[in-house]
Amino acid sequence: MSEKRTAPTVVLGVTGCIAAYKACELARECMRRGMRVKVVMTENATRFVGATTFRALTREPVAVGMWDEAAAPVQHVSLAEEADVLVIAPATANVIAKLACGRADDLLTTTALATEATLVLAPAMNVHMWRDEATQANLEALRARGAIVVPPESGELACGEVGEGRLAEVGDIADAVEAEARRSRDLEGSRIVVTAGPTLEPIDAVRHIGNRSSGKTGFRIAEEAARRGAAVTLVTGPTHLPDPFGVVTVRVTTALEMHAAVIEAAEDVHAVIATAAVSDFRPAAPQTGKVKKDAFPSAIALERNPDILAELGEAKGRRVLVGFAAETADVVAHAREKLAAKHLDLVVANDVSEPGLGFGADSNRVTLVTADGAEELPVMGKRALARVLLDRISPLLLPRG
Ligand code: CTP
């Protein structure tokens, strides 16, 4: 990961819209709040505000074209790496559509695709364009991928109509940018272990028992924690997901392997977040070859696997421990029992009986249960859940060393 400067860097994308002049105020407001601002304009934006204005305001070069003489040879990559936050204000319906489908046909959209920084979007457009199903679907897709949307306000629009579509107040956009800038570094100096996926316990060479888990939640948490500056080790059972960027990923198969890897990795960490669906049992006498079906036993003797999280709880020290509970009934009550029994700081209680949520899905509805209470979260994407969960854990991690 690239060296970050002391002041957080905000890359401000400006697109072609009558509200582009308000991006000047936003640049100033972000600077007033201690952020460094670098502006990227689309060609259309330059029809509304001149690059010189932004250059004078920010005292930084302003990027417009991919092929500008003054631009670094791969400027989209350098801007993408520098950014702690990428805010696009105003964001037109067109740029939102391009971002939603991953198009990269100018410097701004290429930077957006190349960056790991959180994307903050402040849309501004005509009310009918705003209400159009395509625009709403595009925004929903971007939100699900972790973008923060500062919704437009209702009022008189440049086109003369009245309705939603007016760029949000500059102060509100700056608040969102500042919150993301803070988040982009809040885990620096912390070491975190995340467990994910199922464990598979062999019956013979081709059969196994195991729990259902896609691993998505744990992978998202690991990725988000690394993005926010933590040194992350992800210990995962078999999944189809690629290694998250910037994370040390240890792949295991069985609960015993996961146990050994986690105990080693968690020795000197600030937090362990256990999302893995560890199989509680393993066949007591797995066969090395394949057992032919006619010879298959009618019953398989099982043995208990170690409870990894409970063992970490026994020697908790100052580590923050977070467990996940997949329940189909009395969700909060069961989570409370786990919190106490395993000496946890927080349990993410998940009602897996809800159709379309949880296992394999991209969204969850969870309740965060601590000793102080239960916080019910709305249905949200797994990336958004990772963000909220780390927001809650971050203050518990101090002091770090
Ligand atoms: N866990 C673990 N090692 C195990 C089993 C579970 O680390 N052998 C962790 C999981 O990663 C999860 C939490 O403990 O964070 C789940 O707790 P658990 O009591 O196992 O939940 P359930 O399997 O739902 O338990 P029960 O069937 O008793 O409700």
Side-chain angles (χ1 to χ4, degrees), residues 33-289:
R33 297 182 187 206
M35 294 175 261
R36 173 176 173 243
V37 178
K38 295 193 84 168
V39 174
V40 183
M41 304 177 75
T42 61
E43 291 284 355
N44 283 339
T46 63
R47 293 171 184 269
F48 294 90
V49 189
T52 317
T53 309
F54 285 111
R55 198 158 40 238
L57 284 173
T58 61
R59 295 185 202 91
E60 296 277 356
V62 172
V64 182
M66 289 284 274
W67 318 110
D68 288 354
E69 277 300 308
V74 275
Q75 198 174 15
H76 58 283
V77 175
S78 57
L79 283 167
E81 280 184 356
E82 267 181 293
D84 289 296
V85 182
L86 170 60
V87 53
I88 304 185
T92 56
N94 183 44
V95 85
I96 289 167
K98 286 204 270 183
L99 296 172
C101 65
R103 275 195 74 172
D105 63 355
D106 60 13
L107 187 59
L108 177 57
T109 48
T110 311
T111 304
L113 202 57
T115 194
E116 275 186 79
T118 302
L119 179 62
V120 177
L121 291 169
M125 63 194 73
N126 162 277
V127 58
H128 302 294
M129 293 170 88
W130 169 253
R131 287 188 190 165
D132 193 278
E133 278 179 45
T135 301
Q136 291 304 319
N138 289 335
L139 282 167
E140 208 37 57
L142 290 165
R143 272 200 199 96
R145 285 183 229 145
I148 306 286
V149 179
V150 187
E153 296 185 346
S154 217
E156 200 170 312
L157 305 174
C159 54
E161 296 210 51
V162 176
E164 317 88 83
R166 209 169 63 183
L167 186 72
E169 289 295 327
V170 165
D172 293 342
I173 306 170
D175 285 349
V177 172
E178 196 178 14
E180 286 314 311
R182 202 174 307 121
R183 267 198 189 116
S184 73
R185 294 146 176 238
D186 68 341
L187 299 177
E188 259 170 25
S190 62
R191 293 179 295 279
I192 298 179
V193 167
V194 180
T195 73
T199 67
L200 302 183
E201 314 296 327
I203 298 169
D204 66 10
V206 297
R207 302 180 181 94
H208 59 248
I209 60 169
N211 292 7
R212 287 175 62 187
S213 169
S214 68
K216 280 182 193 164
T217 302
F219 274 61
R220 290 279 182 250
I221 292 170
E223 195 172 55
E224 174 73 3
R227 205 183 59 75
R228 288 161 69 159
V232 183
T233 303
L234 171 67
V235 181
T236 177
T239 78
H240 296 294
L241 304 171
D243 291 2
F245 186 73
V247 168
V248 175
T249 305
V250 181
R251 295 202 180 249
V252 298
T253 304
T254 66
L256 288 178
E257 289 167 6
M258 184 172 278
H259 176 260
V262 171
I263 297 299
E264 188 186 332
E267 199 179 321
D268 186 28
V269 297
H270 300 92
V272 179
I273 305 172
T275 75
V278 184
S279 178
D280 292 312
F281 301 93
R282 64 176 180 275
Q287 304 297 304
T288 42

Side-chain angles (χ1 to χ4, degrees), residues 366-387:
V366 304
T367 306
L368 304 183
V369 180
T370 61
D372 301 332
E375 180 188 2
E376 210 171 302
L377 299 181
V379 175
M380 56 173 69
K382 291 186 173 177
R383 197 182 291 261
L385 172 59
R387 184 185 289 140

